Amino acid sequence: MSATAAPPNDTTTAVAPSAGPVLARRQVHAVAGCYFVASFAALGLPPFLTRILPELGDPTARWAGVLYIVPTVFAAVGAPFWGRLADRFGRKRLLLRAQLGLAVAFLLAGWADSIATFTAALVLQGILGGTFAASNGYLGAALEGPALSKALTLMQGAARAALVFAPVVVGSLSPWLSPHRQYALLAVLPLTAALLICALPESRGGRAEAPRAKDAPEATAAPETTAAAPAAAPGTSLLALYALEFAFVFSTVISFPYLVSLIDDRLPGTSPAVSGVLFALPHLCYLVTAMAMHRAFHHRPRPGLALGFLCIALGLAGHGVADSLPALTAVRLVLGAGLTLGLVCLSVLAADCAKGRAPGAMFGSLEFFSKAGAVAAGVAAAVGNSSFGPAAPVLTGTAVALATVVPTVLPLVNPLRTRWSR
């Protein structure tokens, strides 16, 4: 994967919209629903690794931190590859492959009888999954502009809903079926999603390859503008989008792993139910306000994203000093406002960047940077927590969010025009 600057008069390969059919609203909702059910095990079971690993021969669950990020690491590695295959062989086909890949990985994880086998299942989950990037590539091939950004916002809502509700369901089932065996049971969800995807149309119609100019070199970059696809606004080059995605994911995810420890440190005796509600508040904020935020900021995503980073910084900094339940609730809601603004405005910027590009490759690369941000955040949180205590991760996230505000709000004078080689 490489980035190459495009010369001013380059006329090489471009991808332009065609007159193919646009997905109906119910079909967009079906894609989001399929992602929600497929994400249930992927997002709901990892918090229970400390209960799963003792059944597999790790009584102290010392490998929980490493195994938590294994699927993320391998999903980051595989996403660009699967995205390019989707552009070549069909997005529906590759979306179906992702759901079936998850089902296979969950079945193996549920019946694993050793840490080695369980780890292999998590590696397969990362490599064979990638349902989020596959779903976004499928949508990006048939939608563009506000319709695409709204669909991407809906997809993020599906992810937030799974993150909120899946751990509750897994915990509720635990007295009857261990979280370890629930992997096998929940494999039925991606299988169900695969059946629903079979009924969806192929999204080939949204993008068509334009002819290559005779004098164009084979491996140079595509122009940002074509006759059929208007240029993205300044500051929304792929390089800028990838950097913003990485910074956003890093600054938000870094607060996740040790939040319960921070709550216990500040509010001793807090019940697990209250801790769970505090954890879920930012995601619930997204579910309630995301579409309203989209209506308010889809014409001005960069100021909205800058405001989002500022709210994230304020919310995370507040975690460092909050010492009461009302104070923690308030800072979690401020963080939720930043999370919502960031996800919505990044979806708008991604929709802008998708104009004139092969969506599978673009969303696959975007998923790589998102997963890379999550992995970096997990490592930084672990190092900070072990060295300076549970407040260190949120303060690190504060610094990264603040450092991103200014370059986010200021337009670039000469935006770097890049594309990732196919």
Side-chain angles (χ1 to χ4, degrees):
M1 189 165 60
S2 62
T4 316
N9 297 320
D10 186 28
T11 56
T12 56
T13 303
V15 182
S18 73
V22 176
L23 293 176
R25 177 183 297 183
R26 60 183 175 80
Q27 293 167 331
V28 174
H29 288 177
V31 174
C34 288
Y35 177 66
F36 171 76
V37 298
S39 301
F40 227 75
L43 297 177
L45 286 166
F48 295 88
L49 282 175
T50 52
R51 296 185 184 179
I52 293 173
L53 294 183
E55 299 180 23
L56 298 172
D58 181 13
T60 61
R62 67 185 186 277
W63 291 104
V66 174
L67 294 181
Y68 194 93
I69 64 171
V70 162
T72 305
V73 170
F74 284 92
V77 172
F81 171 73
W82 293 122
R84 288 177 173 82
L85 285 186
D87 290 328
R88 183 172 182 181
F89 296 109
R91 288 99 189 180
K92 176 181 172 180
R93 190 175 301 171
L94 270 291
L95 178 54
L96 186 61
R97 176 216 58 78
Q99 300 285 4
L100 294 175
L102 274 186
V104 170
F106 291 162
L107 284 172
L108 180 60
W111 295 110
D113 56 2
S114 67
I115 288 186
T117 306
F118 187 74
T119 302
L122 296 183
V123 170
L124 286 178
Q125 178 187 326
I127 294 176
L128 298 180
T131 53
F132 190 70
S135 299
N136 287 348
Y138 176 86
L139 295 170
L143 303 172
E144 61 180 29
L148 177 56
S149 64
K150 189 174 182 179
L152 298 179
T153 300
L154 183 64
M155 287 294 299
Q156 286 289 354
R160 303 302 123 187
L163 195 60
V164 170
F165 295 113
V168 175
V169 173
V170 172
S172 300
L173 289 175
S174 294
W176 296 277
L177 187 65
S178 71
H180 176 206
R181 299 307 180 191
Q182 284 188 47
Y183 267 104
L185 173 66
L186 295 180
V188 73
L189 296 179
L191 286 174
T192 302
L195 291 175
L196 293 174
I197 289 167
C198 288
L200 293 174
E202 177 58 79
S203 61
R204 276 188 270 259
R207 299 283 187 269
E209 298 267 346
R212 184 182 293 271
K214 291 181 180 179
D215 58 347
E218 181 68 23
T220 54
E224 294 283 338
T225 349
T226 68
T236 55
S237 68
L238 285 184
L239 183 63
L241 178 65
Y242 294 157
L244 291 170
E245 179 77 14
F246 180 94
F248 173 81
V249 172
F250 181 94
S251 60
T252 52
V253 170
I254 196 171
S255 68
F256 293 174
Y258 297 99
L259 177 66
V260 174
S261 297
L262 180 64
I263 294 171
D264 291 339
D265 182 63
R266 297 295 165 78
L267 303 174
T270 302
S271 70
V274 172
S275 298
V277 170
L278 287 172
F279 181 89
L281 272 180
H283 310 293
L284 290 171
C285 183
Y286 182 94
L287 293 175
V288 172
T289 64
M291 287 304 172
M293 292 286 192
H294 183 272
R295 288 192 295 271
F297 288 96
H298 75 277
H299 288 307
R300 42 186 182 276
R302 290 187 69 83
L305 184 57
L307 180 60
F309 274 115
L310 183 59
C311 288
I312 290 168
L314 291 174
L316 290 177
H319 283 68
V321 297
D323 57 0
S324 67
L325 183 58
L328 273 172
T329 301
V331 297
R332 294 297 289 169
L333 289 174
V334 173
L335 179 62
L339 180 79
T340 304
L341 278 166
L343 288 171
V344 168
C345 293
L346 282 170
S347 293
V348 176
L349 293 178
D352 286 342
C353 282
K355 294 176 181 177
R357 289 190 173 93
M362 197 208 85
F363 283 108
S365 295
L366 185 63
E367 185 73 355
F368 170 85
F369 283 92
S370 177
K371 299 299 187 187
V375 171
V379 173
V383 172
N385 181 75
S386 62
S387 302
F388 304 104
V394 295
L395 296 179
T396 303
T398 300
V400 172
L402 280 177
T404 314
V405 171
V406 173
T408 300
V409 75
L410 292 179
L412 301 177
V413 177
N414 293 308
L416 181 61
R417 297 171 180 267
T418 64
R419 78 169 176 90
W420 289 86
S421 60
R422 297 188 175 188

